[in-house]
Amino acid sequence: MTSVSALADGFAGLGVRPGTVLHVQASLRALGPVPGGAAGVVDALLDVLGPDGTLVAYTATPENSSTSRIHQEAVAGLAPAEAEAYRARMPRFDPATTPASPTMGALSEAVRTRPGALRSGHPQTSWAALGPRAQEITGRHPLTSHLGPDSPLGRLYDLDARVLMIGVPMANFTAFHLADLRLPGVRLREYRCVAPQGWVAFEAPDLDDVHFAELGGHVLAAASGVTTGRVGDAECRLVPVREAVDLAERILRARA
């Protein structure tokens, strides 16, 4: 079992510094046992970041959307009346109480539920943040910019944040969506979610991540600011958001 202090030393060794805006994507299974589980990892991260640092996590709730892949899988095979009954039972999103999707991992939920954490109000792609920049990051999140430049993800770019990938591959590097949205010909699609006021529909970019694994390999080969190392049992990377997104955009444009 890796102690909380050993985790903090490991994160600092990767380059996490006090005052950093840090987005964490983590596999606790890859990290191995930690006292307190996800809460212990949050303790270690906050210890390294200090009072001037801000910890950020993606707390999406695709289960709240009838147009998400998770929802489509849940209703597959149901009769039309059964599918409609399923949708009628879907709870309204509440930023204060709706848990992050299990697909986001336990660390995201641990950040969301930490006293003092703030959460953006998007009913499908919310973000939580803890620290002095939390309001700046989460305070604005339009429906139509679910993972775009006007979302918390875009503000991570503006703030030159770092992403700590704990046992998570670059195939899951969420910020690559920002690079996709800079390309010409971005298609829109309709999304439907259960918002606090009930069902809402909106048009936003049609995004996927099927190309992220290959893109991530090219970005890592070209990046100069990425650090890697083992913390606990996990292979970890500390990635500058701005450098990774700008490199990804150049790579994607060269292919277009």
Side-chain angles (χ1 to χ4, degrees):
M1 179 175 289
T2 306
S3 69
V4 172
S5 61
L7 282 182
D9 289 343
F11 297 145
L14 278 172
V16 179
R17 297 289 179 257
T20 300
V21 175
L22 186 71
H23 172 214
V24 180
Q25 297 184 234
S27 166
L28 296 188
R29 181 177 300 178
L31 188 62
V34 175
V41 180
V42 173
D43 288 340
L45 290 164
L46 293 177
D47 182 57
V48 178
L49 292 173
D52 295 328
T54 300
L55 183 62
V56 185
Y58 188 33
T59 54
T61 51
E63 294 87 351
N64 281 3
S65 171
S66 64
T67 48
S68 72
R69 184 167 53 235
I70 286 179
H71 176 85
Q72 297 301 328
E73 292 171 353
V75 300
L78 297 181
E82 293 173 321
E84 184 57 36
Y86 181 96
R87 283 188 283 272
R89 294 193 301 270
M90 290 167 60
R92 296 186 181 191
F93 174 76
D94 183 339
T97 61
T98 301
S101 171
T103 61
M104 297 297 102
L107 188 63
S108 289
E109 182 66 356
V111 172
R112 183 192 75 82
T113 56
R114 194 82 168 198
L118 301 179
R119 190 184 195 184
S120 69
H122 200 289
Q124 184 172 345
T125 56
S126 64
W127 296 74
L130 186 65
R133 312 301 289 266
Q135 177 61 37
E136 181 179 357
I137 292 167
T138 64
R140 175 173 166 76
H141 197 168
L143 284 174
T144 55
S145 187
H146 53 329
L147 290 171
D150 205 20
S151 74
L153 185 60
R155 280 183 285 283
L156 293 181
Y157 178 92
D158 295 338
L159 293 169
D160 198 19
R162 299 300 186 262
V163 181
L164 179 59
M165 309 286 282
I166 303 175
V168 175
M170 294 298 286
N172 301 111
F173 191 76
T174 308
F176 281 154
H177 287 301
L178 294 173
D180 283 344
L181 290 173
R182 294 175 179 177
L183 301 180
V186 174
R187 295 180 300 176
L188 300 179
R189 59 166 288 196
E190 183 183 72
Y191 294 83
R192 294 186 299 277
C193 302
V194 195
Q197 68 271 30
W199 283 96
V200 295
F202 59 95
E203 276 198 340
D206 187 6
L207 300 174
D208 65 57
D209 57 7
V210 295
H211 58 299
F212 282 9
E214 180 187 5
L215 181 60
H218 290 297
V219 167
L220 290 178
S224 60
V226 177
T227 57
T228 62
R230 180 174 289 273
V231 180
D233 295 333
E235 291 295 328
C236 300
R237 289 189 182 91
L238 187 65
V239 184
V241 170
R242 194 173 292 171
E243 181 187 29
V245 171
D246 291 348
L247 281 171
E249 180 189 4
R250 289 200 289 271
I251 292 165
L252 291 170
R253 286 187 180 277
R255 296 176 179 177

